[in-house]
Amino acid sequence: MDLKEMLSVAKKKADSKYEECPECEEIAKDLMRRFPNLLEHAKEANIRYLKKWSEKSRYLGKCSRATGKWAYLTGYDYVIEVWADWWAGAELQEKEALLLHELRHIVKSITSQGKVKWGLRQHDVEEFFDVVRIYGAWDNSLMKLKKVLEESENESCAREEHTD
Ligand SMILES: [Zn+2]
């Protein structure tokens, strides 16, 4: 590579909002080992991990499916990107929770012709705070969330008592 090429590569790097995230991949692989049942589809997918630098972001992380020609050209099934500015200050527990969330979006199905089809699993709960404020846990998904939160609170109390 001559100097001119080197400069152009360096400039491209400086201009790009995206960067590889080997730490994301390491944490994701650890999660797949610890939660094999939750991540049985994710374990089989080809995933590329990126950090995205931007002052503001509407999301902490995002899982996108590589479709059609992009899957063909890159060999990847999904891209998981994390908001680099948040990532830089996050605790390991928070990073794990974010990646577990993104990896749970990965879902595999088999078509009638026996082909693998990758999709995006929807969230278990979709709701507005204001509706919950007025009507509480009014449907099954919210009641389930309430139960899970109560259980996890009890568990963390038990953990605290245990360590005291
Ligand atoms: Zn999500």
Side-chain angles (χ1 to χ4, degrees):
M1 215 189 294
D2 67 20
L3 185 64
K4 207 174 150 195
E5 275 173 329
M6 270 163 71
L7 280 173
S8 118
V9 168
K11 181 164 187 322
K12 231 177 174 177
K13 242 182 172 170
D15 287 345
S16 173
K17 294 187 289 190
Y18 293 100
E19 191 184 311
E20 302 289 328
C21 187
E23 190 193 359
C24 298
E25 187 165 10
E26 213 174 281
I27 294 173
K29 291 211 165 126
D30 182 47
L31 289 168
M32 289 174 197
R33 271 192 295 270
R34 284 156 59 199
F35 307 106
N37 296 334
L38 287 182
L39 301 176
E40 64 172 341
H41 292 181
K43 275 194 302 187
E44 288 177 39
N46 259 324
I47 310 165
R48 186 80 174 253
Y49 298 88
L50 296 175
K51 280 198 276 192
K52 186 187 176 188
W53 294 97
S54 60
E55 253 178 66
K56 283 186 193 158
S57 177
R58 286 191 295 113
Y59 51 83
L60 300 181
K62 190 168 161 184
C63 179
S64 324
R65 200 160 64 87
T67 52
K69 58 183 174 260
W70 301 112
Y72 172 76
L73 287 170
T74 62
Y76 287 100
D77 304 308
Y78 294 89
V79 177
I80 288 180
E81 54 189 277
V82 297
W83 182 27
D85 303 68
W86 175 84
W87 186 265
E91 303 281 342
L92 178 61
Q93 290 268 319
E94 295 167 325
K95 292 176 177 176
E96 284 184 3
L98 177 64
L99 285 170
L100 183 58
H101 176 112
E102 301 310 333
L103 291 166
R104 278 291 288 162
H105 276 300
I106 294 175
V107 64
K108 186 182 91 170
S109 57
I110 307 291
T111 66
S112 52
Q113 286 110 38
K115 276 190 183 164
V116 170
K117 201 178 159 208
W118 296 104
L120 288 170
R121 183 185 283 122
Q122 293 202 337
H123 297 132
D124 296 329
V125 178
E126 300 265 351
E127 193 42 289
F128 297 103
F129 289 144
D130 287 323
V131 175
V132 175
R133 200 169 288 131
I134 297 167
Y135 290 103
W138 66 274
D139 75 356
N140 281 338
S141 67
L142 287 168
M143 278 190 276
K144 198 157 178 200
L145 176 64
K146 194 177 168 199
K147 205 170 151 234
V148 170
L149 281 171
E150 282 164 2
E151 280 166 8
S152 81
E153 266 166 31
N154 288 343
E155 255 175 48
S156 63
C157 285
R159 269 202 301 275
E160 274 163 34
E161 276 165 29
H162 194 75
T163 50
D164 277 346

